[in-house]
Amino acid sequence: MTALLSIRDVRVDLASGGWFGGAVPLNILAGVTMDLMPGETLGLVGESGSGKTTLARAVLGLQPISGGEVRFDGKNLTRPSDFRAIRRRTALMFQDATASLSPRMAVGEAVTEPFAIHGIAVKNRHDKAAELLAEVGLPPEMAARYPHELSGGQARRVGVARALALKPSLVIADEPTAGLDVSVQAEILNLMADLKDRHGLSYLIITHNLALVRHVADRVAVLYLGRLVETGPTRAIFADPRHPYTRSLIAAEPKPDPRKRRADLAIRGEIPSILRRPAGCEFHTRCPLAGDICRMMPPELKELGRGRAARCHFADAITEGGRHELEH
């Protein structure tokens, strides 16, 4: 099966002003490679500053890439016109659903705006708005409301309706449950799952919420400092993480029982600046398992079988249950 979205060694470098006027290159993404299959949900996780949103923007052509390749349904996207050609088949759900809606535009106009942007004739926009709102569980009279009249959950549903307007193949959802009550989060996730089954959607979900990923994602990709450090099926990643960073993220999940917290796996210190990437493994400055080799030699992304890979010298020695069997 051909991947719907294929990313190969994608780099994003941005220029930043130096102290004496010289441009200092900021390496935001450092050679990311991953695939998203048709009908699949991929969870993209990592701390703030890890490059998740930049990668999503690069996929949509909103951020020029400095190297590598992005393919959508087998088509290599290199020119701005290539990305414009696939815009109808991709959609973005914004993190702040209310702020993403124009305060001067009624809901009905907002959800049908994609047709106007792409020059697609709609016989009756009022009926089309009602149809799209019904898809996400909102009554037709909601079309006359403005963003300030919506609850957080309603605004999120409107964002989903707008994303679905052109019947996309891929939806990129940036923190789809951010700022919502727990009960409303569950409603939105159930809605997204229902729409995925109904329309054969693929999702790329960008989030800090590991509980969300555990619940909805088929596979997980973990970014650190713009580099892919671990990927694999969701169940396998959570049961047996093979990169210390992934282990630490999972250990940091809130747990009702304090006896189940793993203080020994806590991430130490702050994420380094991309202006001064650490030598060797970039996680070694914060890793509880770092050895001499980690400080000197950058690890390659190691295939572990069954669709899993990890960028760690000791990936094979970090065994099921999170125990580290190396001799120090």
Side-chain angles (χ1 to χ4, degrees):
M1 182 184 295
T2 302
L4 177 65
L5 176 67
S6 181
I7 300 168
R8 290 290 174 272
D9 198 29
V10 165
R11 299 194 333 272
V12 171
D13 299 323
L14 300 179
S16 174
W19 286 104
F20 302 103
V24 178
L26 297 177
N27 182 218
I28 308 296
L29 293 179
V32 175
T33 295
M34 64 176 69
D35 288 329
L36 175 63
M37 306 305 291
E40 183 178 55
T41 297
L42 176 65
L44 189 61
V45 302
E47 294 169 286
S48 296
S50 60
K52 303 186 300 297
T53 300
T54 299
L55 180 60
R57 288 173 57 82
V59 164
L60 295 173
L62 303 176
Q63 172 62 59
I65 64 175
S66 307
E69 179 181 276
V70 177
R71 287 182 175 270
F72 186 84
D73 206 9
K75 179 179 176 57
N76 190 5
L77 309 178
T78 55
R79 300 179 301 274
S81 59
D82 296 331
F83 286 98
R84 284 195 294 271
I86 62 112
R87 286 276 159 77
R88 294 186 185 184
R89 297 188 60 194
T90 59
L92 178 62
M93 288 172 54
F94 296 91
Q95 179 172 344
D96 190 333
T98 303
S100 73
L101 301 172
S102 170
R104 297 179 178 86
M105 190 178 288
V107 164
E109 188 178 357
V111 298
T112 56
E113 186 183 23
F115 297 102
I117 291 173
H118 289 274
I120 301 173
V122 176
K123 187 175 182 179
N124 187 315
R125 287 186 68 169
H126 183 272
D127 290 346
K128 191 63 178 179
E131 176 188 327
L132 289 169
L133 292 174
E135 280 262 39
V136 297
L138 292 176
E141 55 267 25
M142 193 70 69
R145 294 192 185 181
Y146 284 83
H148 71 274
E149 300 176 290
L150 304 177
S151 68
Q154 289 169 340
R156 183 67 65 185
R157 288 175 183 268
V158 170
V160 175
R162 182 175 59 181
L164 290 177
L166 300 180
K167 300 188 183 302
S169 301
L170 170 64
V171 175
I172 298 178
D174 191 357
E175 296 287 0
T177 59
L180 301 178
D181 293 340
V182 174
S183 59
V184 180
Q185 288 184 26
E187 291 175 6
I188 296 300
L189 293 179
N190 289 336
L191 172 64
M192 291 175 64
D194 179 57
L195 293 171
K196 174 184 176 181
D197 293 339
R198 201 186 311 166
H199 298 292
L201 298 173
S202 299
Y203 287 117
L204 176 61
I205 297 182
I206 302 167
T207 185
H208 296 90
N209 188 339
L210 293 182
L212 182 156
V213 170
R214 191 194 294 262
H215 180 67
V216 304
D218 301 305
R219 289 191 305 116
V220 181
V222 184
L223 290 185
Y224 183 76
L225 280 184
R227 206 179 296 278
L228 183 69
V229 296
E230 185 163 10
T231 185
T234 302
R235 183 174 297 180
I237 292 287
F238 278 89
D240 181 22
R242 293 300 185 91
H243 194 284
Y245 181 59
T246 311
R247 295 174 66 203
S248 297
L249 290 178
I250 294 173
E253 280 190 282
K255 293 180 176 62
D257 187 348
R259 293 172 296 181
K260 294 184 179 180
R261 296 173 186 161
R262 295 289 304 275
D264 58 309
L265 297 181
I267 303 178
R268 302 178 301 194
E270 299 293 329
I271 188 168
S273 167
I274 55 175
L275 282 171
R276 297 179 180 83
R277 288 178 174 271
C281 174
E282 292 161 340
F283 187 60
H284 85 260
T285 58
R286 309 172 71 195
C287 180
L289 308 177
D292 291 338
I293 191 174
C294 306
R295 301 177 182 91
M296 297 182 292
M297 184 181 299
E300 298 293 329
L301 190 65
K302 183 182 298 184
E303 296 292 336
L304 302 173
R306 299 187 178 181
R308 300 196 58 182
R311 192 181 300 275
C312 178
H313 291 297
F314 306 136
D316 292 324
I318 299 175
T319 60
E320 187 172 335
R323 293 182 295 108
H324 187 254
E325 292 187 342
L326 294 175
E327 293 182 4
H328 296 283

